[in-house]
Amino acid sequence: MEKNKNKSEAAALRKKAEALLKNKSSKHDFQISEVENFKLIHELQVHQIELELQNEELQLAKDHAEIAAGKYTTLYEFAPSGFFSISDQGEIVDLNLSGALMLGKDRTHLRNSYFDFSISPDSRPVFNLFLKKIFKSNSKESCEVTLETSGNQPVFVHLSGIATESGSQCLVTMVDVTEHRQTEIALQQSKVKYRQLAENSATLVYRILLKPAFKFDYVSPSAAAITGYTPGDHYADPQLGFKLVHPDDRILLENTTR
């Protein structure tokens, strides 16, 4: 009887202990859940702020990129030089506004057209050799050609180009050198006229270089009739000019040439 009583008390005690443990475990689980939820909410809030900051940085980078792209477009389109992308067959793939203006045609009509159509016939062999060398050597090449224009005055341009990495196109820069070439032509014409006048004049004409040493750079043909010495004699003997001067006047010549 006593034994049964002890068993009953032990069972009741175990039942009570299990109930207490269950209640305690439930409270502990709830506390852990609350802490985890707080941590999760905190992490989500931090992550949201990070995303917002990243979005601001991306927007700022986009704004800077758009500003840079706008500046690049302005520089590319309105640069004083013409920029062209040309295929290995000589077709214009793309070009800037300055290039179209220099060729005197609408850009839409120039795309997919052959570049040498805009070059004068006498300059086309020069351009074709220039293009061939670019794709053959893969190095920077240059040439000077005359454009085919409707005006009376020729337009001279300097071309420099290099092939792209793919080798299917080349990038060509075109610079207008008309003013420079016209100056050279005018200077050459002036030299020709000057020489014609000097060589047909009865007056003796000397052009003398003082540095690095005194010598005759030009002596007109009239020297033979006036001095008895040909231009060749003067070139061979730089001192001939001094010898032909009267001794009393040589000091003046020496002071002049110092």
Side-chain angles (χ1 to χ4, degrees), residues 6-20:
N6 290 336
K7 285 183 178 181
S8 178
E9 288 179 354
L13 183 61
R14 182 178 178 83
K15 188 175 181 180
K16 185 177 180 180
E18 288 178 347
L20 290 172

Side-chain angles (χ1 to χ4, degrees), residues 173-191:
T173 302
M174 182 167 68
V175 179
D176 190 337
V177 293
T178 302
E179 185 176 350
H180 176 70
R181 288 288 287 117
Q182 287 176 341
T183 301
E184 286 184 341
I185 292 171
L187 181 60
Q188 186 61 34
Q189 291 174 343
S190 177
K191 287 181 178 179

Side-chain angles (χ1 to χ4, degrees), residues 52-68:
E52 290 174 353
L53 292 174
Q54 289 177 358
N55 187 55
E56 289 179 2
E57 291 177 356
L58 289 173
Q59 185 60 46
L60 186 61
K62 181 182 177 183
D63 293 341
H64 283 299
E66 289 177 351
I67 293 172

Side-chain angles (χ1 to χ4, degrees), residues 204 206 208 214 216 227 229 234 239-254 257:
L204 177 59
Y206 283 147
I208 300 172
F214 180 94
F216 292 102
T227 68
Y229 295 93
H234 285 75
Q239 297 301 315
L240 185 57
F242 291 96
K243 295 175 183 178
L244 293 174
V245 176
H246 191 278
D248 294 341
D249 295 329
R250 287 178 185 174
I251 187 65
L252 297 175
L253 182 60
E254 289 175 356
T257 57

Side-chain angles (χ1 to χ4, degrees), residues 41-246:
I41 292 172
H42 176 73
E43 290 296 327
L44 289 174
Q45 289 175 337
V46 171
H47 186 59
Q48 181 180 359
I49 293 173
E50 288 177 345
L51 291 175
E52 290 174 353
L53 292 174
Q54 289 177 358
N55 187 55
E56 289 179 2
E57 291 177 356
L58 289 173
Q59 185 60 46
L60 186 61
K62 181 182 177 183
D63 293 341
H64 283 299
E66 289 177 351
I67 293 172
K71 290 181 179 179
Y72 169 78
T73 300
T74 301
L75 289 173
Y76 174 78
E77 293 291 358
F78 301 103
S81 303
F83 298 135
F84 299 84
S85 296
I86 301 177
S87 72
D88 54 0
Q89 300 300 313
E91 289 182 302
I92 299 175
V93 179
D94 201 6
L95 70 162
N96 67 342
L97 183 59
S98 295
L101 292 173
M102 293 172 73
L103 295 181
K105 298 177 183 178
D106 187 85
R107 182 156 50 172
T108 56
H109 295 152
L110 287 168
R111 286 194 180 100
N112 302 320
S113 68
Y114 287 94
F115 189 89
D116 62 357
F117 285 174
S118 300
I119 299 176
S120 62
D122 59 328
S123 292
R124 287 175 187 171
V126 176
F127 172 76
N128 292 332
L129 178 62
F130 160 75
L131 198 65
K132 183 178 180 180
K133 290 169 67 176
I134 286 177
F135 289 105
K136 185 177 180 180
S137 66
N138 289 324
S139 61
K140 188 176 181 179
E141 301 290 342
S142 61
C143 70
E144 187 173 301
V145 298
T146 308
L147 297 182
E148 182 88 319
T149 63
S150 57
N152 296 326
Q153 296 296 326
V155 176
F156 301 95
V157 295
H158 179 84
L159 302 177
S160 59
I162 189 169
T164 59
E165 291 185 4
S166 65
S168 61
Q169 296 180 15
C170 66
L171 304 177
V172 175
T173 302
M174 182 167 68
V175 179
D176 190 337
V177 293
T178 302
E179 185 176 350
H180 176 70
R181 288 288 287 117
Q182 287 176 341
T183 301
E184 286 184 341
I185 292 171
L187 181 60
Q188 186 61 34
Q189 291 174 343
S190 177
K191 287 181 178 179
V192 171
K193 290 180 180 180
Y194 167 78
R195 183 173 289 275
Q196 289 175 343
L197 289 172
E199 292 184 353
N200 291 282
S201 173
T203 304
L204 177 59
V205 179
Y206 283 147
R207 186 169 65 236
I208 300 172
L209 297 180
L210 300 179
K211 295 180 180 181
F214 180 94
K215 71 175 183 177
F216 292 102
D217 184 55
Y218 175 77
V219 180
S220 64
S222 59
I226 296 174
T227 68
Y229 295 93
T230 67
D233 294 332
H234 285 75
Y235 297 141
D237 183 7
Q239 297 301 315
L240 185 57
F242 291 96
K243 295 175 183 178
L244 293 174
V245 176
H246 191 278

